[in-house]
Amino acid sequence: MSTEAPTLVSQSKAHGGTQFVYSHESTACGCTMTFAIFVPPQAERRPCPVLWYLSGLTCTHANVMEKGEYRRLAAELGVIIVCPDTSPRGDHVPDEPDNWQFGSGAGFYLDATAAPYAENYRMESYAMEELPALVAAHFPADMDRQSVFGHSMGGHGALTLALKHPERFRSCSAFAPIVSPTMADWSKPALRKYLGEDTAAHRRHDATCLVEDGARFSDFLIDQGTADGFLQEGLKPWLFAEACGKAGVPLTLRMHEGYDHSYYFISTFMDDHLLWHAERLV
Amino acid sequence: MSTEAPTLVSQSKAHGGTQFVYSHESTACGCTMTFAIFVPPQAERRPCPVLWYLSGLTCTHANVMEKGEYRRLAAELGVIIVCPDTSPRGDHVPDEPDNWQFGSGAGFYLDATAAPYAENYRMESYAMEELPALVAAHFPADMDRQSVFGHSMGGHGALTLALKHPERFRSCSAFAPIVSPTMADWSKPALRKYLGEDTAAHRRHDATCLVEDGARFSDFLIDQGTADGFLQEGLKPWLFAEACGKAGVPLTLRMHEGYDHSYYFISTFMDDHLLWHAERLV
C-alpha cells in the first residue's frame, strides 16, 4: 500500500481553511485517482477528525466539492472532509461507457471479484485502506475520529461500510441512499457484473441485507426528499427502516416534502448532517 | 418590451424556497436568454425584495447558482436572488469564440453601439429594463426594494449600474470587481469593439471614471482576495478606492489574505454580502 505523497491538483482558500484537490497512483485500483480534501483552519493547531463523503452515480470528487456547501460549517466545527472519486478511471479500466449505472462513475464502494472488473474496481479497499492510509500520512488528521456519509450510491457506500466496519466510524448518515441494491433494477445488474452470480456475496453489499444478517451500527441518520424521482422504484428507504426496526438499530429517517435528488436537496440538509457527525466526533 | 411568461427550465426545492431556472425570448438581446431565480419561502406570504447577482467572464446564470452558496441565508432573510446570463447567446449572435474576454460570456453589462454588436449586446437594457419588468410581472417581487452585486466583470456591472441608476438600488457590493475597464488590457479591446473609439463613451462604463465624473452612490462594499491572479494587472481596486476617497463616496474595501478569484472566495464572503444588502433592503 503506497503512502507516497499525492500530487497537488489545485488549492483554494475557503472559509479560513483550504479546499485541496490531489491525485495519486492507486495500488488498489490500478490507476490514477483524484480526491478532494477540505482542511479546516483548526488543523493548523491540532489534528482534526475526518468525515468521508461518498458521492453518487456519475459523480467525481468534484460534484459535492462544488455544490455540497459543506465548507462554512466544516470550518466552524473543525472537521476535515474527504471526497473520493466514485470509481477507478482511465482508458485501461474496463467500462460500459453508455451505462451510467455501472463501471466508470459507478463503483458501488465494493471490491469486484468477477473478471474483468476485479482488477480495478476495488473501491472498498480504496476507501477503507489505501486512501485513509494516505490521508493519515500526509494530512493533519486524527484517524481515531472518523465518520462517513454519502448520497445515493454514496449513501449505499456509507451505510454498508459503516455496517461492515463499525469500529472504524463514530457515525454514519446518508442523503437519499440506495439501501437495497439487491432489490432495485438499476443496481442488480451492477452487483452481478462486479460480484458474479453468488447472491450471498450480493447481500454483503446491501445495507438492508447486512442488518437482516446481523450487522449492527450505533445509529443512522437518513434524509430523503418526497419529490425524488428515484424514490418509489429505486431507493425505498422504508426497506432499510423496516430492517433496522426489527433489529433494534436506531435510525432517524426524515422525509422532506418536495425535495428532489439533487445537490439543492443535499446542500439544504448538509448542516444537519455535519452537526450530527460533529456531535459524535468532537 | 415583452413580459410574456418565461418558460420553466428547471426547479428544485432548496432551503424551504425554490431555485428556478427560466428561459425567455429577449427583445433587448434578440435571442433566447436564460436566468436563475431563487424564491425564498417568505414569498408565499408577501412580496420579497430582489437582489441581482451579476456574474463574471465566461459564466452563465448557472455558475453562481451551483457554487455561490447563497440559498441558505437568502431563505432566512427572505430575499429573491436573480442571476442573469452574462451576454446574449445563439448562433446568430456575433461572437469571437476563442476570446473569453469578449462576446459570448462577456457582455460587460452595457449596450453596444458599434456594429455588428449593437444588435444583440444590449445587456444594460436587458438587466435594467427587460428582465426587471419580467420579474415584476411574474414573480412575488417587491420592485421598490432592489439591490445589486456581482463578481469580477459582474462586479463591474454592479458598480456601474448602481452609479448610473442610484435611484434603482438600495445597495451595491462586489467580489473582486473590474473597477476600471478603460485601464486594463483585458477590457480595453472589449470596450472599443462594443462602443467604438469614443473614449467618453468608455468612461460611462467604468466605475472609477463614473465616480471621477460625478456619479454617486450611498455606499459600496468590495471584497478582494490577495491571492487573486488578476489583482495586480487587471483588478486594482485601489483605483476605485482612490476615486471614492476623493469624491467622498463611502466604500468598504476589504482585502482578504490568501483568497483567490474563485467561487471558493465568493462563497466564503457570500453571507457578509447578503447581510449587507438585507440591512438596506428589509
Side-chain angles (χ1 to χ4, degrees):
Chain A
M1 197 156 58
S2 166
T3 54
E4 261 182 62
T7 303
L8 182 66
V9 174
S10 68
Q11 71 175 84
S12 286
K13 191 168 175 181
H15 291 282
T18 306
Q19 179 65 63
F20 296 98
V21 177
Y22 285 94
S23 68
H24 67 116
E25 296 311 308
S26 165
T27 307
C29 297
C31 67
T32 304
M33 293 291 280
T34 304
F35 65 96
I37 180 167
F38 176 71
V39 177
Q42 292 84 347
E44 288 178 17
R45 299 185 301 277
R46 52 176 168 77
C48 290
V50 179
L51 177 54
W52 297 85
Y53 182 93
L54 305 181
S55 290
L57 290 166
T58 77
C59 290
T60 69
H61 68 283
N63 302 66
V64 73
M65 177 180 81
E66 296 178 347
K67 305 180 191 177
E69 306 192 11
Y70 57 73
R71 280 174 291 273
R72 181 186 49 80
L73 192 53
E76 191 177 306
L77 297 169
V79 176
I80 290 172
I81 311 278
V82 189
C83 308
D85 202 349
T86 56
S87 76
R89 306 275 177 178
D91 291 343
H92 66 292
V93 174
D95 188 19
E96 295 183 3
D98 296 333
N99 186 352
W100 64 275
Q101 298 169 333
F102 180 74
S104 187
F108 277 88
Y109 304 98
L110 53 75
D111 284 359
T113 53
Y117 304 106
E119 183 79 14
N120 302 100
Y121 286 83
R122 302 186 65 239
M123 289 301 293
E124 182 168 355
S125 292
Y126 179 72
M128 289 301 300
E129 294 168 34
E130 186 174 36
L131 193 52
L134 187 152
V135 167
H138 298 289
F139 296 90
D142 177 358
M143 304 305 282
D144 290 332
R145 293 185 290 160
Q146 295 185 61
S147 291
V148 64
F149 67 153
H151 171 233
S152 198
M153 179 189 73
H156 149 79
L159 298 175
T160 55
L161 294 181
L163 284 162
K164 285 189 273 186
H165 307 273
E167 74 295 346
R168 170 73 65 89
F169 300 112
R170 298 252 187 122
S171 50
C172 175
S173 74
F175 304 98
I178 297 174
V179 300
S180 190
T182 65
M183 298 285 284
D185 289 339
W186 62 358
S187 41
K188 279 191 286 189
L191 295 185
R192 274 201 300 274
K193 281 181 268 193
Y194 286 136
L195 302 169
E197 298 296 332
D198 175 12
T199 53
H202 297 192
R203 290 184 68 85
R204 289 195 294 273
H205 299 284
D206 179 306
T208 303
C209 296
L210 281 165
V211 171
E212 288 171 356
D213 294 346
R216 295 293 179 262
F217 194 73
S218 51
D219 56 352
F220 293 108
L221 168 65
I222 293 180
D223 279 319
Q224 173 65 55
T226 63
D228 184 328
F230 301 112
L231 174 58
Q232 295 299 330
E233 297 306 314
L235 298 177
K236 302 181 181 175
W238 46 86
L239 298 176
F240 187 64
E242 191 184 343
C244 286
K246 283 184 182 164
V249 174
L251 163 66
T252 303
L253 170 59
R254 308 190 304 182
M255 301 299 291
H256 298 284
E257 184 68 28
Y259 284 88
D260 62 23
H261 199 66
S262 70
Y263 284 89
Y264 300 107
F265 158 66
I266 297 171
S267 60
T268 295
F269 299 102
M270 179 58 75
D271 281 8
D272 290 356
H273 286 244
L274 293 178
L275 290 168
W276 168 274
H277 293 290
E279 280 175 14
R280 290 155 177 80
L281 280 169
V282 181
Chain B
M1 195 158 58
S2 164
T3 54
E4 262 183 62
T7 303
L8 182 66
V9 175
S10 68
Q11 69 174 86
S12 285
K13 191 168 176 181
H15 291 282
T18 307
Q19 179 65 63
F20 295 99
V21 176
Y22 286 94
S23 69
H24 67 116
E25 296 310 309
S26 164
T27 308
C29 297
C31 67
T32 304
M33 293 290 281
T34 304
F35 66 96
I37 180 167
F38 176 70
V39 178
Q42 293 84 347
E44 288 180 15
R45 299 185 301 276
R46 53 177 167 75
C48 290
V50 178
L51 177 54
W52 298 85
Y53 182 92
L54 305 181
S55 290
L57 291 166
T58 76
C59 290
T60 69
H61 68 282
N63 302 66
V64 74
M65 176 180 81
E66 296 178 347
K67 304 180 192 177
E69 307 194 9
Y70 57 73
R71 279 175 291 274
R72 180 186 51 80
L73 192 53
E76 191 178 306
L77 298 168
V79 176
I80 291 172
I81 311 278
V82 189
C83 309
D85 202 349
T86 55
S87 76
R89 304 277 177 178
D91 291 343
H92 65 293
V93 174
D95 190 17
E96 294 182 5
D98 295 332
N99 186 352
W100 64 276
Q101 298 168 335
F102 179 75
S104 187
F108 277 88
Y109 304 98
L110 53 77
D111 284 359
T113 53
Y117 304 105
E119 184 80 12
N120 302 100
Y121 286 82
R122 303 186 64 240
M123 289 301 293
E124 182 168 356
S125 291
Y126 179 72
M128 289 301 301
E129 295 169 33
E130 187 174 35
L131 193 52
L134 187 153
V135 167
H138 299 289
F139 297 90
D142 177 358
M143 304 305 281
D144 291 332
R145 293 185 291 162
Q146 295 185 62
S147 291
V148 64
F149 67 153
H151 171 233
S152 198
M153 180 189 72
H156 150 78
L159 298 175
T160 54
L161 295 180
L163 285 163
K164 286 189 271 186
H165 307 275
E167 74 294 345
R168 172 73 65 89
F169 300 112
R170 298 251 186 123
S171 50
C172 175
S173 73
F175 304 97
I178 297 175
V179 300
S180 190
T182 64
M183 297 285 284
D185 289 337
W186 60 0
S187 42
K188 279 191 286 191
L191 294 184
R192 273 201 300 274
K193 281 180 266 192
Y194 286 136
L195 301 169
E197 298 297 332
D198 174 13
T199 54
H202 297 192
R203 290 183 68 84
R204 289 194 294 272
H205 300 285
D206 179 306
T208 303
C209 296
L210 280 166
V211 170
E212 288 172 356
D213 294 347
R216 295 294 179 263
F217 194 73
S218 50
D219 56 352
F220 293 107
L221 168 65
I222 293 179
D223 279 320
Q224 173 66 56
T226 63
D228 184 329
F230 301 112
L231 174 58
Q232 295 299 331
E233 296 306 314
L235 299 176
K236 301 181 183 176
W238 46 86
L239 297 177
F240 188 63
E242 190 183 343
C244 286
K246 284 184 182 164
V249 174
L251 163 66
T252 304
L253 170 59
R254 307 190 304 181
M255 300 300 290
H256 298 285
E257 185 68 26
Y259 284 89
D260 62 23
H261 198 65
S262 71
Y263 284 90
Y264 300 107
F265 158 66
I266 296 172
S267 60
T268 295
F269 299 103
M270 179 57 76
D271 281 8
D272 290 355
H273 285 244
L274 293 177
L275 290 168
W276 168 274
H277 292 291
E279 279 175 15
R280 289 153 177 83
L281 281 169
V282 181

